[in-house]
Amino acid sequence: MAVLLAAFLAIAACSGDPGASTGAAPADETSAASTPQKGGEITVLEDSAFAGSWPTGLDPATNTTGGANIAMMGAIYGGLFLLTANGDGGDAKVTPNQAESYELLDGGKTVKIKIRRGVTFSDGTPFDAEAVVFNLKRNLGATCTCTPKWPLVKDGIDVEGGDTVVLRFTRPYASVINAFPISNVNWIVSPTALKQLGDDKFRVTPVGAGPFTVVSNQLSSELVLERNAQYFKDGLPYLDKLTFKSIGGDQAAYQALLAGQAHAYEGMNTVPLMEQAQSGGRLTVTMQPPTSPYVVQLNSKATPFDDERARQAIYYATDFEAIAKGLFKDRFPVSQSFTAPGGLFHHDAVPGYRGHDLARAKQLVQELGGLNVELGTLGNYVAKQVMIALQTQWQEAGITTTIKDYQLSTLVQQFNSGKWHAMLQTAGAWDPAGGVGVAFRFASTSPFSGVADKALDDMFAEAEGTVDPAERDAIYTKAGQYISDKSYAPFGLAFAPTNLTAKGVHGPGLTTRIPPLVVNSGVLWDEVWRSQ
């Protein structure tokens, strides 16, 4: 699931270039870094509060935290499509991978995806259009929060010509391809292996067509993978072995890297540790482009935020500019909508956005006869720092705030219960129409939304179906204005986690910049390598 942060560059501000990858490898690595080497192994650490938790396994149809586990899912399954970028994070685009090509027809109501010939699952069975259709139908009925909500016609998925998957929608849905890399429909399992193993065994030892195969899987603890001998890309993957380990947060991960117990950590967000890593020179520090700003979600479906005055009071009591300056030394930009500089359709300001106005906040709280709020988040350094700052700011306006931090699974349960007031989460994605994009936080049909507004739903649907990027930009700008006018949720820091890697480790999205999909970037694990 996609909760947590969204991306900016912690130490890049120190270099004077917020778009740069800082903490570059030592000079003696420069020449080696340009020549990938085959062989070796690495261990990658994942925070147990997010990507390091996979309690229901790694089957795309039953993994309830699939959006958090993109690293592992990508290593096992690869993906029909991938988000790629040049080394500094620019020119980001979705490119076919196990898919060979695609085309949009009927103004975006029909999508044809041609499946690449010659791909096989690691069990030797064919990766073909029939297998993809089987997976799409299965995954669309899944419990994962990364399951897309496609507006399909009845029986709207079928095979054409043996190698082409056809999707037919009730309305134009031109953004569907951009949404693939962050949705469970991107990860295709072997139907044969699934049938042979059964659901319970398969979720522990799944079989895909990605660069690596499962050796062992201790849920939410350790996943050991080895090179897939059936992988369709010649010469790849470079690594012989890839291990993911869950670890209890940034400090433990940082110490493990320094002690040589692991080679990489995805998702560092503790700013002092980033600074230590930057100045220490022993690790490579890579910050990703920001795509999803923090947002204070307000549950307008329930008391107290079904009263617009209460929502306005939160806007006026909140000063994210002060938080950015006071806590984070202006390292992270502040957004006023559900986009950030590293993603599509970003604009710096929303006209008429309610800024900090303490006197107005106090007045509204008095009109309401007081305001008591429970504010929750997924526990991590930045979120906790922001939560405490918000609690202090809101207290000045007379708002009594109780703060809570959750593990991922309990956070999902809290959202599903509907019994929540406010949540500090992230909103948006590289493409706002992505599976965990703006609709994830603001659409009436999402269990992770605090909003039920048909006018907003209609804007999202119109933007999703629009082929022309300029027209989509205009619609999303209008939606951002509407969210602001209705005081549905104040936006804040556009922050992203940082990857730390040991000397000699290289790879796209790990030591280069790719816009984050869901919190972390989609690392291209087949191209990750280690100099010997």
Side-chain angles (χ1 to χ4, degrees), residues 20-44:
S21 174
T22 62
D28 62 352
E29 288 190 74
T30 303
S31 59
S34 62
T35 308
Q37 299 177 32
K38 197 166 184 176
E41 61 182 82
I42 66 169
T43 296
V44 180

Side-chain angles (χ1 to χ4, degrees), residues 291-379:
T291 57
S292 310
Y294 271 119
V295 60
V296 180
Q297 286 184 267
L298 305 176
N299 189 0
S300 64
K301 305 172 186 177
T303 305
F305 293 119
D306 53 353
D307 188 325
E308 188 170 348
R309 294 174 300 170
R311 304 197 301 268
Q312 290 178 0
I314 294 295
Y315 268 78
Y316 288 127
T318 300
D319 188 351
F320 271 116
E321 296 288 350
I323 293 173
K325 182 179 293 292
L327 289 181
F328 304 111
K329 304 176 185 177
D330 282 328
R331 288 190 178 98
F332 315 128
V334 176
S335 180
Q336 294 184 354
S337 190
F338 47 81
T339 62
L344 302 177
F345 314 122
H346 174 70
H347 298 279
D348 288 336
V350 171
Y353 188 86
R354 289 179 176 82
H356 183 238
D357 187 336
L358 184 58
R360 180 63 176 141
K362 289 181 176 179
Q363 180 184 353
L364 287 166
V365 172
Q366 290 174 354
E367 288 180 15
L368 292 164
L371 184 56
N372 296 297
V373 177
E374 184 177 283
L375 175 63
T377 195
L378 191 68

Side-chain angles (χ1 to χ4, degrees), residues 3-8 267 269-270 290-297 318 320 323 328 332-340 353 375-387 390 423-428 441-442 489-497 519:
V3 263
L4 214 35
L5 349 121
F8 203 75
N269 62 82
T270 303
T291 57
S292 310
Y294 271 119
V295 60
V296 180
Q297 286 184 267
T318 300
F320 271 116
I323 293 173
F328 304 111
F332 315 128
V334 176
S335 180
Q336 294 184 354
S337 190
F338 47 81
T339 62
Y353 188 86
L375 175 63
T377 195
L378 191 68
N380 66 78
Y381 174 86
V382 171
K384 289 179 181 178
Q385 295 292 308
V386 172
M387 291 261 284
L390 289 173
M423 290 286 191
L424 180 68
Q425 302 296 316
T426 56
R441 297 296 181 202
F442 290 97
F491 292 90
L493 306 175
F495 178 85
V519 181

Side-chain angles (χ1 to χ4, degrees), residues 38 75-78 98 119-124 207-214 225-233 235-237 239-241:
K38 197 166 184 176
I76 296 169
Y77 300 108
Q98 292 158 343
V119 180
T120 61
F121 293 104
S122 59
D123 61 2
V207 177
F212 295 92
T213 62
V214 177
L225 308 175
E226 65 182 5
R227 179 200 306 277
N228 176 11
Q230 304 287 337
Y231 194 52
F232 71 100
K233 295 182 182 178
L236 298 178
L239 294 172
D240 292 328
K241 185 178 179 182

